Amino acid sequence: MNLTEKELMALEEQLEQEQLLIHKFRQYAQHCLDAQLKASCNQIADKHQQHFNTLMGYLQ
């Protein structure tokens, strides 16, 4: 699949946003004392990791 320059820029921006969200929610999880909240933060980070992996698939 050939992506346009505009599509590549949008994809790059979205990848950066997903990386940021993964990082933030992993940090939140590390600082949580409540086990349920910690698990929720990790689940959200995992979901954003899946999004990131899907987007990376468009570049291959």
Side-chain angles (χ1 to χ4, degrees), residues 28-42:
Y28 296 155
Q30 286 181 359
H31 291 93
C32 285
L33 300 177
D34 180 89
Q36 189 173 7
L37 186 56
K38 182 180 201 114
S40 293
C41 288
N42 279 317

Side-chain angles (χ1 to χ4, degrees), residues 14-28 41 44-49 51:
Q14 191 60 45
L15 284 166
E16 290 172 3
Q17 292 300 315
E18 292 297 341
Q19 282 183 313
L20 179 61
L21 289 166
I22 294 163
H23 177 75
K24 282 185 177 185
F25 279 98
R26 294 286 183 224
Q27 288 290 330
Y28 296 155
C41 288
I44 293 168
D46 291 343
K47 190 64 166 174
H48 285 289
Q49 183 67 58
H51 294 167

